[in-house]
Amino acid sequence: MRLTHFTRNVMYHNNPKHRAGSMAQRPRLPKSLKTERRGAVAIVTLARPEKRNALNDTTVLGLETFFGTLPAAVKAVVLNAEGKHFSAGLDLSELKILSTEEGIEHSRVWHRVFHQIEFGRVPVVTVMHGAVVGGGLELAAATHIRIAERSAYYALPEGSRGIFVGGGGSVRLPRLIGTSRMMDLMLTGRTYGAEEGQAFGLSHYLVEPGEGLARAIEIARRIATNSATTNFAVMHALPRIAEQDRASGYVMESLTAAIAQGNEEAKKRIKDFLEKRAAKVERK
Ligand code: 1HE
């Protein structure tokens, strides 16, 4: 196999000495990612606006390092992006040199990294604006809460580039918007605007331009106050239950509910409510 930039990168990250979490110090992230801490919330920002945050190997593997080495005190993450666009998707300049075998490996690396985000330790809130296309949409779809600024628009230009989604898009996006809409996006190259994305399930919140990050931090802070058991159950049990047959789902739900309610944190929170120390459910 030719030793391309991509294969060298994968070999580096697959080496146990270099893997996330095995280092004594916080590992270095590539320049295309910036990070910031706000208490229990960590913010990771795609920072390659000159290339419209196109996702190259370095950035994708950097995300793996970031999510694989989150300090224990971080309870939620915000994913943000610099510049006018969230992400132009896969860095096409890297794709042009991959053989078929390397293409499979490339896609499998994206699967591994995005799986680590979706089924990681903490919920991730994404702020989307401008172009959210191809692999950028696949990345956003692997996160848990998506906030769209009104400038956001969505597309899957893989069809017009002669390729196919490779970052888990064909698994995740039909579950969000339906196979039929995804077919339309891929076959026709059309875009959906922010309002359509909101109506179809690509975003949970629609906000004015420039308001996404503040809203994301507010939501991430709220998520960080949940019990770790609840967040774990929502991230790991809920999507699996949704994909199981009903009978298995009910069993898994009972077990998850019993484990959650049995812990001291739940007992304390319920007692607090009953003794009027906790917030009511309010519609603001
Ligand atoms: C890129 C990329 C990229 C921009 N790979 N370099 N994705 C696409 O097919 C989308 C391609 N990009 C675009 O359609 C447009 O760039 C945007 C609509 C996102 C933004 O337009 P604009 O006018 O703001 O920027 P631009 O002038 O097109 O691009 C600025 C620079 O970024 C330019 O480089 P420069 O050196 O000439 O300045 C572009 O070449 C570069 N650039 N997008 C590489 N994608 C795991 S499978 C996933 C499969 C996919 O994601 S396929 C979808 C690929």
Side-chain angles (χ1 to χ4, degrees):
M1 186 162 69
R2 276 178 297 130
L3 204 60
T4 60
H5 174 63
F6 169 70
T7 43
R8 269 199 305 275
N9 250 331
V10 170
M11 284 164 65
Y12 177 89
H13 283 260
N14 281 342
N15 180 333
K17 275 201 301 202
H18 302 135
R19 280 212 66 121
S22 64
M23 297 172 165
Q25 294 178 330
R26 291 286 292 143
R28 295 235 331 253
L29 293 174
K31 278 206 224 80
S32 54
L33 292 176
K34 287 186 183 161
T35 61
E36 198 188 323
R37 261 297 279 285
R38 305 262 184 111
V41 175
I43 305 171
V44 60
T45 303
L46 304 177
R48 208 180 163 224
E50 69 285 2
K51 293 288 177 190
R52 307 310 183 248
N53 297 315
L55 298 168
N56 56 9
D57 305 336
T58 307
T59 307
V60 171
L61 293 170
L63 285 170
E64 177 171 49
T65 301
F66 171 79
F67 282 99
T69 57
L70 283 174
V74 169
K75 307 289 184 205
V77 166
V78 169
L79 171 63
N80 192 27
E82 279 185 0
K84 279 171 68 179
H85 299 285
F86 175 73
S87 172
L90 173 69
D91 188 320
L92 294 167
S93 65
E94 289 189 347
L95 191 69
K96 66 178 187 224
I97 56 167
L98 297 187
S99 68
T100 299
E101 284 104 335
E102 287 168 339
I104 291 171
E105 190 51 28
H106 183 263
S107 167
R108 282 164 50 79
V109 169
W110 279 53
H111 289 169
R112 185 182 79 211
V113 176
F114 290 8
H115 181 88
Q116 184 192 20
I117 295 173
E118 183 177 8
F119 294 105
R121 189 175 60 75
V122 302
V124 183
V125 182
T126 297
V127 187
M128 304 182 294
H129 66 283
V132 185
V133 306
L137 180 53
E138 294 183 281
L139 170 61
T143 66
H144 307 93
I145 302 287
R146 286 170 298 279
I147 299 171
E149 295 190 351
R150 276 189 202 279
S151 62
Y153 63 94
Y154 311 94
L156 292 172
E158 285 84 347
S160 45
R161 308 278 177 239
I163 53 177
F164 192 64
V165 284
S170 60
V171 173
R172 293 191 182 93
L173 291 169
R175 287 173 165 81
L176 290 181
I177 61 173
T179 307
S180 157
R181 286 204 179 97
M182 182 161 174
M183 273 191 184
D184 184 21
L185 284 170
M186 290 200 74
L187 290 177
T188 67
R190 72 177 287 178
T191 60
Y192 286 149
E195 282 80 9
E196 287 168 307
Q198 175 74 12
F200 298 160
L202 286 173
S203 59
H204 300 85
Y205 300 84
L206 186 57
V207 301
E208 297 307 317
E211 291 182 358
L213 180 60
R215 178 66 77 87
I217 293 171
E218 180 193 324
I219 289 170
R221 284 199 170 126
R222 170 72 184 76
I223 290 171
T225 66
N226 292 338
S227 87
T229 311
T230 301
N231 281 350
F232 172 80
V234 172
M235 287 175 68
H236 292 265
L238 177 62
R240 266 107 184 190
I241 291 170
E243 286 177 12
Q244 278 175 340
D245 63 281
R246 282 173 176 244
S248 313
Y250 288 131
V251 173
M252 179 114 139
E253 182 185 274
S254 295
L255 293 174
T256 308
I259 290 167
Q261 74 170 49
N263 89 24
E264 286 311 308
E265 173 83 21
K267 303 245 176 296
K268 181 182 172 311
R269 285 172 183 241
I270 291 165
K271 188 162 179 282
D272 284 349
F273 175 76
L274 294 173
E275 293 172 4
K276 314 239 179 275
R277 287 189 299 272
K280 293 184 187 184
V281 175
E282 269 183 294
R283 173 132 184 100
K284 292 184 185 142

